[in-house]
Amino acid sequence: MRTANRSDVGRIRLVNEDRAWAAELPSGLAAAIVADGMGGHQAGDVASQLAVDTFREAIASVQADLTHEQAKTALCQAILQANEAVFDLAARNEHYRNMGTTVVAALLLGDAGFIGHIGDSRAYKQRGDTLRLLTEDHTLVNELAKSGQISPEEAANHPRRHVLTRALGTEREVEVDLKGFSWQPGDRLLLCSDGLYAMVSEDEIRETLLDEDLDLDAKANRLIELALEAGGEDNVTVLLIEYSDGHPGGEQPA
């Protein structure tokens, strides 16, 4: 397994509130997470870093012989522990009041993967020339589009498209969306913040991932470059994981 992890503050923001991490676990399984923080007074970067750190510590103890149901439960529990950590810090410290973060996380077994997410950071899986979105944005605009109140075109340019309906750390209790998928040699997983897909089309993402002239690091770099060339209106984070016959890529913090 190989990984590539890139993050950029973008062309407008002064602080990068995105955080990401990927690693092979002691069990031999692999895990990854991207978090996009929010909150005034730089609380967003505190929320995303705490979420990533808590998730990393919680997921490290999972065992290799998990059933698929146990893997899903372990992933969910690690995210919920991160939610508790962020919420408790915000409740104790006025400086961090109302801070929160999106999160999209993966746990990868030999033949299957599991995604857990809250907010509007996304996971995509590439197999062959197909790129498939694995997550559903927890945003007001997505809810309006699902109910037919606005069209997909209106949703893409809606002034409130970044308003979240669910975030990690803003409430004591939160629901985690969980999804399983098949995972086999040659597959790639992309975890990203909205700074990527808001600036770069899915066709451009797919074409970049399929470019045989680029290795995995170069693909991640190119995706960041495309977001910056399109305006770089937000922090942008790209985490790529490739199922290969080689050894795992090891820990790669953003």
Side-chain angles (χ1 to χ4, degrees), residues 65-97:
D65 56 350
L66 295 178
T67 66
H68 288 184
E69 197 60 36
Q70 288 171 333
K72 188 185 297 185
T73 298
L75 179 63
C76 183
Q77 289 177 340
I79 294 172
L80 290 177
Q81 282 183 238
N83 181 78
E84 182 178 358
V86 174
F87 180 84
D88 286 349
L89 178 59
R92 296 194 312 269
N93 191 322
E94 179 68 30
H95 190 65
Y96 299 140
R97 187 65 51 85

Side-chain angles (χ1 to χ4, degrees), residues 131-180:
L131 183 69
R132 182 162 67 98
L133 178 62
L134 299 177
T135 53
E136 182 176 296
D137 298 342
H138 299 142
T139 60
L140 173 63
V141 165
N142 189 48
E143 292 297 324
L144 294 174
K146 283 167 56 181
S147 65
Q149 296 182 58
I150 61 175
S151 68
E153 293 75 21
E154 290 172 321
N157 299 293
H158 198 283
R160 302 189 70 192
R161 62 187 179 276
H162 299 302
V163 176
L164 299 179
T165 56
R166 199 188 310 176
L168 183 147
T170 57
E171 303 287 343
R172 184 168 294 280
E173 304 291 335
V174 67
E175 181 182 357
V176 181
D177 280 7
L178 295 164
K179 186 179 184 66

Side-chain angles (χ1 to χ4, degrees), residues 1 17 20-21 42 44 53 60 79 82-83 104 115 120 137 140 158 162 164-165 178 182-183 189 199 206 223 226 238:
M1 195 171 302
E17 295 182 324
W21 167 84
Q42 298 188 1
D53 290 345
I79 294 172
N83 181 78
V104 58
I115 294 291
D120 65 351
D137 298 342
L140 173 63
H158 198 283
H162 299 302
L164 299 179
T165 56
L178 295 164
S182 62
W183 183 237
L189 188 68
M199 298 281 99
R206 185 178 66 87
L223 290 173
L226 287 171
V238 169

Side-chain angles (χ1 to χ4, degrees), residues 1-4 21-24 31 247-253:
M1 195 171 302
R2 290 192 290 264
T3 63
W21 167 84
E24 181 193 13
H247 296 290
E251 186 169 324
Q252 295 196 20

